Amino acid sequence: MDNINEKTFKPDLNETGTAIDLTESCYSVAPSEMASTVEEEKTKLHRGLKARHIQMIALGGTIGTGLFMASGKAIATGGPGGALIAYAIVGFLAFCVMMSLGEMAALIPVSGSFAHFAKRFVDPSLGFMVGWIYWLNWAVGVATELTGVAIMMEYWVKSINSVVWSVICLVILVLINVFSVKGYGEIEYWISFVKIIIVIVFIIVAICVDTGAAGGHYYGVSNFHLEGGAIPHGFIGIFNVFITAAFSFNGIEIVGITAGESQNPHKTVPAAVKQVFFRIVLFYIISILMIGLIIPYTDPNLITGASNVAVSPFTLVFQKAGASWAADFMNAIILVTMVSAGNSGVYSSSRTLLALAEEGSAPRCFKYINRWGIPVWSVLATCAVGCIAFLTSLWGSGVVFNWITSITSVAGLIVWVSIGITHIRFRMGMKAQGRSLNSLPYRAYLYPFGDIFVVVICCIVIGGQGYKNFLPPIDAKQCVASYLSVIVCFVLYFGHKIIKRDAFVKASEMDFETHTYKEPVLKVDEGEKLEDDVPRSHWKRVLKKIYSLIA
């Protein structure tokens, strides 16, 4: 730190507006270095995501096929009470992960955040492994959604090869992601908003069906008193639901990726984290409860509904309310949901691949960012992996869909474990360097118990999720498929460790300065008021509060 310049208020004489510069410290640079810095700024990711985009993306990433279709399988496996317990535990896990990631991402908002944090605060080999396994998680997840789109379209059109629908969807995803990130944010915002409305409508309709107001039959809590009770299969039933619940919540950590392109991550990331918990309770827990109240866990449609939208739990509830069009309606909603999930997959995996390239862990070509702030080659590489969906023409959509679902669920849990470990090390570094927690824009609650809970529970689920495959008769292929993500993680971690021989990062040497976000210049034109200074009537404040809770 040779020279430190103090930037203070300097009005721009070329503009009629008034510029208010927030005082900040910055390193002085030579003129030649300044030119290169300006050139780099042109090719950086653009901070085009607003607060409403970040919050809706955080929620939209968790509402998808896991809730609309797989929730019925969860109730059939664990019973109505067992499914509630499993989803509540995994929901709490997701909230703990969000708090830990939110604390780090709000302070250091970089693209590919948790891989970067793992390398920076734990071990370069861990960062390498987490980055590649997360890219694999979402790149394969794109293929999952493309496969799902083929399944949904076969419901209406059976004469066209399913590969055609996968190709059309892939082209749409490429077009969305090769332009401005703001366009991606807007599309995700409105699709997520539609999904939220559907879930709210479902809950209202389900309440009417359960009480007999719609459909003419009173269900009450009778399904909780069937033979075997609310938890007919005991602990094993609850445990078996964990992997289904993990798939449902897979993607909630995408907020950490979006922090690198958020306009004000100091505020948007904490706001998204705080609202996720209540939305998990509102959308997941209540939805599972209502399905369990109306449809008995012994109904065979709950199992087949995981791959057949015509008998998915949401469809069955709407049909019990007298909606004959329910199957077509839910098929359309799930189709849009899968396109949205694929869109998020391309976005998050491309930013992760970009971060890996910037750190020297991926080919340099993936560092390229065009003038719109898009890592084009990373996007195209991710979409290329999505072509795995073409396997639907060879082995059938349903088989490939279920196989890939298992792989991506375990990969997501591995990432959650790494986030918990990284956050513990993050706090240890702050303590070792005498840094105050008051300097954090957002502070995670329940530290360190939340992180320990995440690491322990996720490791138990990862280790035990494939136990059925080791019971007679043993299927070797299924045994390998169940732990494929774990095998890949070991190969990536120890392979990198053997080749690079990097040491663990010492707490006293952790870097808390690089990429730490500084709020941009606050600029207010003449006659313009800040948003918070605009007076609002009482009813407008009430409406805004309701809107913020929902959206």
Side-chain angles (χ1 to χ4, degrees), residues 142 146 166-180 184 187 339 342-343 346-347 350-351 370 374-387:
V142 172
L146 294 178
S166 296
V167 172
I168 293 174
C169 182
L170 185 61
V171 171
I172 293 174
L173 295 181
V174 172
L175 293 176
I176 293 174
N177 282 274
V178 295
F179 295 104
S180 168
Y184 158 79
I187 291 173
V339 174
N343 189 29
V346 173
Y347 170 81
S350 63
R351 269 52 177 185
N370 65 15
I374 302 297
V376 177
W377 295 119
S378 295
V379 170
L380 295 179
T382 297
C383 292
V385 174
C387 290

Side-chain angles (χ1 to χ4, degrees), residues 13-30:
L13 299 178
N14 295 324
E15 295 187 9
T16 57
T18 300
I20 302 175
D21 257 349
L22 300 179
T23 302
E24 60 173 310
S25 297
C26 64
Y27 297 107
S28 61
V29 294

Side-chain angles (χ1 to χ4, degrees), residues 37 48 85 105 108 144 222 249 258 301 353 364 376 382 396 411 429 438 452 495 504 506 550:
T37 301
I85 294 173
I108 310 172
T144 305
S222 58
F249 288 106
T258 60
N301 286 328
L353 187 57
R364 294 181 59 184
V376 177
T382 297
N438 293 328
I452 295 173
F504 288 92
K506 296 180 180 179
I550 297 176

Side-chain angles (χ1 to χ4, degrees), residues 76-153:
T77 303
L84 272 178
I85 294 173
Y87 269 80
I89 293 174
V90 177
F92 182 70
L93 281 176
F95 182 56
C96 290
V97 169
M98 286 293 293
M99 287 193 296
S100 301
L101 180 59
E103 179 176 294
M104 296 183 289
L107 179 67
I108 310 172
V110 293
S111 186
S113 58
F114 28 83
H116 175 85
F117 297 150
K119 178 180 179 180
R120 187 163 167 173
F121 301 116
V122 185
D123 178 18
S125 296
L126 181 64
F128 177 84
M129 181 271 286
V130 171
W132 278 109
I133 199 64
Y134 192 73
W135 177 81
L136 175 66
N137 178 36
W138 272 114
V140 173
V142 172
T144 305
E145 304 307 332
L146 294 178
T147 307
V149 166
I151 296 175
M152 295 298 103
M153 291 306 300

